[in-house]
């Protein structure tokens, strides 16, 4: 197997402060170069925290991180100062959910893109602006010369997200993170943006990890799917494997609720019960209180990671048996 | 932009007229006869009428107002009842002195306020923040004439380092930016600077804290900027509001502080105003208030225009 672009092992993220939150608990995840991974999971399952940890964006004073993250051979958790800044936006960059909030309101689009280019590639302002123009063209923003000088509030939502993508890709990162990149947009615009992302991903050959609530979108755009629950990846595999041969009861519940007859674009919340509070690290299967198959083993120790095939993992005691039952 | 500028300038006219009307009326609504102060006690009815006519007080109010505005527009604000000198000259001299004081107080208060506010906002909820906030609150709440007197007792009376009174050699009419005059400026300027410093510091602290909590700051780190680069964005985002607050404070400073100018015997507009009030010197009072109010209008206009220039979110056409 080729060396993975992203390799996360036993990652735990705990927030301290008024409330202690064990947001991520022993998460393993890997992504081969040039592939697209969709992360699915209920609200609060730790999707955004995982992406932000990959960019080391969480407040350092209140966040304890343990485990290992390697991206393109870089030990991400040991980075600091200039090397961390070089990694951010250079090796890995991020498209945020709400471009209106993620772009600086008083800088022009061109300036914001050029700034990243100047920072990472040491280009002069003129050359950086050329790059910004080129990027705006690549994300198919009409009349890009004019848009260079425009401010975020002067664009439509779809155009802003295109500009955000142009900014994220300006320094040719090897990995792009996108946290619900289209949730804030109209349905028709959503599809355009997703197709654009897929196209640019192929063009640049980069890896993409994106969070979505829409299984249809995951199927359409991704190569692989990781399903998260209570700060852990409970099931992962290629899109075909996960959709056709889901083994974790949580994944099955999600698919049943969302693939058959569910409204497209609806959020993932059709499984009875609520996700656990994350005040303490899990000592058993976090899904047990909601699981129809739970037995004594599930309530006494965390479930083993079953590996039904290469690149395929399921965290459930029944994963083998469920396969047999199929 | 040019159209906007012109329109703003045109808007100033009714505002200025309204301001003059209020100045004019204020004085006429005030109880008491302004002529009492200058009239000989044994004046006959004839002499009194003569004097009234001389000052124009015999005409109906609207006519008085019209005449007053017409003359004011040509720079003639009448004569002081107390001294007989032209009001315009008196006011301009005082305005000059107040400008000196306001400029000095701004030069002390604004940079310190900006610096403190920035540091406190950037290091929010740390010891630095608490120290700055305590300082700012104290600065805003301590009565500044009291602070002025304390400073005088310490630095003039006890230590004898700085003069306590007046504007230095030449009195009210001969200001110069030399060491001898500057010594007289230190105490009143410092005293006057404390409140604007506190207000600017508090505003900027809140502003910076608010900006830092916005998502785009995280996005700036995400694209690889370091603290310095992010700080530049924070400054640019804070600038329009910080500027507006400083403009407003400058407006107040230009108005002159009656209390501080009185404590330090500084011959500015505040001092002039208090004299005019105590001597019931109507033309002087009207003229001074009018000039001050127009100053305020002008400063607001300038701040507004400057904001339009530096804040792309404001589109004024
Ligand atoms: N900076 C933070 N400080 C404290 N707790 C946090 C912080 N960020 C996230 N959390 C907590 O961590 C948990 C996981 O949050 P996260 O944002 O990753 O969820 P998510 O899967 O992205 O959900 P959603 O679908 O709603 O975006 C939540 O309980 C959240 O309250
Ligand atoms: S481990 Fe047990 S409780 Fe957890 S998902 Fe599997 S069957 Fe359900
Ligand atoms: Mg999220």
């Amino acid at each position: 197997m080729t060396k993975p672009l992203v390799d996360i092992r036993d990652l735990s993220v705990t927030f301290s402060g008024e409330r202690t939150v064990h947001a991520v608990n022993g998460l393993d995840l890997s992504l081969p170069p040039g592939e697209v991974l969709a992360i699915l999971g209920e609200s609060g399952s730790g999707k955004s925290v995982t992406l932000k940890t990959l960019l080391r964006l969480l407040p350092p004073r209140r966040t304890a991180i343990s485990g290992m993250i390697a991206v393109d051979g870089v030990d991400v958790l040991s980075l600091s100062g200039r090397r961390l800044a070089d990694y951010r936006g250079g090796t890995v960059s991020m498209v945020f959910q709400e471009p209106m909030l993620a772009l600086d309101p008083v800088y022009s689009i061109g300036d914001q893109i050029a700034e990243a280019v100047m920072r990472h590639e040491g280009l002069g302002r003129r050359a950086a602006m050329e790059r910004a123009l080129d990027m705006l063209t690549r994300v198919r923003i009409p009349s890009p010369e004019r848009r260079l000088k425009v401010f975020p509030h002067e664009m439509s939502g779809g155009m802003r997200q295109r500009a955000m993508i142009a900014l994220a890709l300006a320094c040719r990162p090897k990995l792009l993170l996108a946290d619900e990149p289209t949730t804030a947009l109209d349905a028709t615009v959503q599809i355009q943006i997703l197709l654009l992302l897929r196209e640019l991903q192929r063009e640049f050959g980069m890896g993409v990890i994106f969070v979505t609530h829409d299984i249809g979108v995951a199927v359409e755009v991704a190569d692989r799917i990781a399903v998260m629950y209570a700060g852990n990846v409970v099931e992962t595999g290629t899109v075909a494997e996960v959709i056709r041969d889901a083994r974790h009861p949580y994944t099955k519940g999600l698919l049943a609720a969302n693939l058959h007859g569910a409204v497209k674009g609806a959020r993932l919340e059709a499984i009875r019960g609520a996700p656990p509070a994350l005040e303490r690290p899990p000592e058993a299967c976090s899904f047990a209180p909601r699981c129809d198959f739970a037995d004594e083993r599930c309530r006494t120790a965390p479930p083993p990671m079953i590996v039904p095939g290469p690149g395929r993992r399921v965290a459930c005691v029944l994963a083998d048996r469920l396969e047999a039952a199929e | 932009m040019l159209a906007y500028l012109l329109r703003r300038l045109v808007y100033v006219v009714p505002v200025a007229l309204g301001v003059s009307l209020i100045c004019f009326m204020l004085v006429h609504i005030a109880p008491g006869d302004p002529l009492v102060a200058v009239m000989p006690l044994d004046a006959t009815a004839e002499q009194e009428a003569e004097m009234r006519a001389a000052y124009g007080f015999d005409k109906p109010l609207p006519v008085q107002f019209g005449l007053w505005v017409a003359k004011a527009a040509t720079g003639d604000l009448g004569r002081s009842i107390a001294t007989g000198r032209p009001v315009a000259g008196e006011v301009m001299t005082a305005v000059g002195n107040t400008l000196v004081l306001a400029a000095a107080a701004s030069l002390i208060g604004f940079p310190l306020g900006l610096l403190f506010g920035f540091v406190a906002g950037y290091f929010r909820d740390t010891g630095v923040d608490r120290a700055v906030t305590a300082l700012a609150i104290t600065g805003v709440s301590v009565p500044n004439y009291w602070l002025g007197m304390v400073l005088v007792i310490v630095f003039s009376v006890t230590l004898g380092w700085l003069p306590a009174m007046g504007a230095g050699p030449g009195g009210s009419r001969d200001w110069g930016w030399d060491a001898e005059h500057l010594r007289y400026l230190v105490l009143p300027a410092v005293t006057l600077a404390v409140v604007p410093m506190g207000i600017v510091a508090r505003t900027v602290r809140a502003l910076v804290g608010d900006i830092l909590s916005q998502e785009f700051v995280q996005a700036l780190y995400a694209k690889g900027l370091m603290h310095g680069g992010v700080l530049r964005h924070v400054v640019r985002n804070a600038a329009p509001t910080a500027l507006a607050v400083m403009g407003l404070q400058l407006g107040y400073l230009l108005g002159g502080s009656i209390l501080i100018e009185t404590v330090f015997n500084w011959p500015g507009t505040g001092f002039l105003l208090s004299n005019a009030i105590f001597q019931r010197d109507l033309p002087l009072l009207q003229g001074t208030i009018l000039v001050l109010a127009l100053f305020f209008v002008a400063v607001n206009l300038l701040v507004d225009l400057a904001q339009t220039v530096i804040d792309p979110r404001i589109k004024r056409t």
Side-chain angles (χ1 to χ4, degrees):
Chain A
M1 218 175 105
T2 49
K3 208 166 133 275
L5 171 65
V6 181
D7 192 6
I8 304 179
R9 301 232 179 114
D10 197 24
L11 178 73
S12 293
V13 180
T14 307
F15 297 107
S16 52
E18 305 132 46
R19 250 167 16 100
T20 301
V21 182
H22 293 265
V24 175
N25 302 294
L27 174 139
D28 288 311
L29 194 66
S30 76
L31 179 72
E35 289 203 6
V36 179
L37 169 76
I39 300 185
L40 292 170
E42 280 172 311
S43 192
S45 55
K47 306 180 297 290
S48 301
V49 170
T50 305
L51 292 199
K52 283 182 180 161
T53 311
L54 268 165
L55 262 184
R56 295 275 308 280
L57 283 178
L58 297 168
R61 270 190 288 164
R62 295 191 297 109
T63 317
I65 306 176
S66 68
M68 197 276 304
I69 300 179
V71 175
D72 195 32
V74 178
D75 177 5
V76 175
L77 296 183
S78 74
L79 291 175
S80 64
R82 177 161 287 275
R83 291 195 29 242
L84 177 58
D86 287 343
Y87 163 82
R88 289 168 170 164
T91 309
V92 179
S93 63
M94 179 121 152
V95 172
F96 289 77
Q97 177 173 352
E98 231 315 342
M100 189 61 200
L101 302 177
L103 292 166
D104 184 329
V106 303
Y107 278 67
S108 72
I109 296 295
D111 278 338
Q112 302 196 44
I113 300 176
E115 188 178 33
V117 177
M118 283 150 66
R119 163 72 187 77
H120 286 287
E121 304 186 8
L123 295 183
R125 212 187 117 78
R126 182 181 288 269
M129 274 299 185
E130 294 280 316
R131 171 74 66 81
L133 181 61
D134 173 51
M135 288 313 299
L136 291 187
T137 317
R138 280 169 188 268
V139 298
R140 292 193 245 315
I141 286 182
S143 43
E145 290 89 356
R146 197 168 56 75
R147 302 296 178 126
L148 276 180
K149 300 188 197 74
V150 147
F151 293 90
H153 68 272
E154 296 169 323
M155 301 175 108
S156 69
M159 284 303 143
R160 271 199 293 269
Q161 194 58 297
R162 283 171 195 263
M164 184 90 229
I165 293 171
L167 165 60
L169 299 186
C171 299
R172 306 289 134 87
K174 298 211 169 68
L175 174 65
L176 179 72
L177 308 176
D179 195 347
E180 306 191 37
T182 60
T183 321
L185 306 173
D186 296 341
T188 50
V189 183
Q190 287 192 6
I191 295 162
Q192 294 169 5
I193 297 283
L194 286 166
L195 292 178
L196 175 72
L197 267 177
R198 177 86 228 197
E199 224 170 287
L200 291 169
Q201 180 267 331
R202 295 216 172 104
E203 194 177 328
F204 292 142
M206 64 193 170
V208 174
I209 301 182
F210 78 101
V211 169
T212 177
H213 280 97
D214 189 331
I215 296 180
V217 164
V219 171
E220 200 77 37
V221 180
D223 302 307
R224 311 179 62 79
I225 289 180
V227 179
M228 283 191 69
Y229 188 79
N232 222 325
V233 172
V234 294
E235 174 153 14
T236 181
T238 63
V239 170
E241 285 165 347
V242 173
I243 298 296
R244 290 209 209 103
D245 181 24
R247 306 214 174 177
H248 195 284
Y250 178 65
T251 315
K252 291 183 169 236
L254 278 187
L255 292 176
N258 291 278
L259 274 190
H260 313 296
V263 193
K264 196 167 157 48
R267 292 180 77 88
L268 305 174
E269 46 200 28
I271 299 174
R272 73 180 165 80
L278 299 165
E279 285 144 16
R280 271 177 286 133
E283 284 155 6
C285 176
S286 314
F287 190 58
R290 299 168 75 183
C291 181
D292 291 331
F293 306 97
D295 61 24
E296 211 33 49
R297 285 175 299 166
C298 309
R299 297 195 187 89
T300 48
M305 190 59 85
I306 309 260
V307 184
R312 176 110 173 87
R313 290 197 319 271
V314 187
C316 173
V317 290
L318 299 179
D320 287 322
R321 214 186 69 196
L322 286 172
E323 180 189 28
E326 212 78 27
Chain B
M1 185 67 211
L2 191 69
Y4 171 73
L5 183 86
L6 287 176
R7 230 189 28 237
R8 274 304 311 249
L9 282 173
V10 172
Y11 283 163
V12 165
V13 173
V15 174
L17 268 179
V19 162
S20 350
L21 182 60
I22 291 170
C23 294
F24 180 79
M25 288 316 289
L26 263 184
V27 171
H28 281 268
I29 291 165
D33 188 330
L35 283 181
V36 169
V38 280
M39 197 114 52
L41 279 176
D42 55 352
T44 62
E46 247 166 61
Q47 279 175 312
E48 199 187 318
E50 214 170 281
M51 253 181 119
R52 261 181 216 292
Y55 280 102
F57 290 153
D58 56 339
K59 302 197 178 66
L61 277 183
V63 178
Q64 281 190 42
F65 177 63
L67 287 174
W68 183 66
V69 168
K71 278 164 84 185
T74 67
D76 179 1
L77 293 171
R79 281 175 182 278
S80 159
I81 292 181
T83 65
R85 285 205 289 263
V87 167
E90 298 278 293
V91 174
M92 279 313 153
T93 310
V95 162
N97 290 326
T98 288
L99 270 179
V100 167
L101 191 54
S106 309
L107 285 177
I108 298 168
F110 292 168
L112 283 178
L114 288 174
L115 180 72
F116 288 162
F118 238 96
V119 171
Y122 201 76
F123 299 102
R124 198 152 191 168
D125 296 325
T126 62
V128 189
D129 176 24
R130 276 184 282 273
V132 169
T133 307
L135 191 75
I137 291 178
T138 317
V140 175
S141 20
V142 163
N144 53 10
Y145 60 90
W146 178 82
L147 180 71
M149 290 191 280
V150 170
L151 290 180
V152 165
I153 291 171
V154 174
F155 291 99
S156 308
V157 180
T158 311
L159 296 172
W161 291 353
L162 293 164
M165 295 280 212
S172 63
R173 282 164 201 287
D174 201 19
W175 177 260
W177 292 95
D178 49 54
E180 188 46 37
H181 283 92
L182 286 179
R183 276 164 45 80
Y184 284 82
L185 186 57
V186 175
L187 288 183
V190 167
T191 311
L192 193 58
V194 168
V195 169
M197 182 196 77
I199 289 176
V200 170
R202 275 201 320 197
T203 316
V204 171
R205 172 187 179 271
L207 201 58
V208 168
D210 177 52
I211 292 168
L212 284 176
S213 70
Q214 290 179 37
E215 193 174 69
F216 79 81
V217 173
Q218 217 175 54
L220 290 174
Y221 283 113
K223 75 179 184 184
L225 296 195
M226 308 204 30
H227 292 301
V230 173
L231 208 60
R232 253 189 45 218
H233 283 259
V234 175
V235 170
R236 266 283 283 279
N237 274 272
T241 313
L243 187 89
V245 173
M246 289 192 292
L248 201 63
Q249 290 303 310
L250 185 65
Y252 290 132
L253 289 179
L254 290 178
S257 162
I258 293 192
L259 289 173
I260 289 182
E261 290 186 359
T262 308
V263 167
F264 289 99
N265 246 336
W266 186 268
T269 47
F271 192 62
L272 191 66
L273 217 49
S274 82
N275 279 347
I277 291 168
F278 284 119
Q279 299 171 351
R280 297 201 59 77
D281 194 338
L282 270 191
L284 187 59
L285 192 56
Q286 281 176 325
T288 312
I289 296 179
L290 180 67
V291 170
L292 292 183
L294 293 181
F295 249 81
F296 208 84
V297 173
V299 170
N300 273 332
L301 178 68
L302 287 179
V303 169
D304 207 31
L305 295 178
Q307 248 189 320
T308 319
V309 172
I310 68 170
D311 191 342
R313 285 166 298 188
I314 305 176
K315 269 282 162 296
R316 285 164 178 162
T317 46

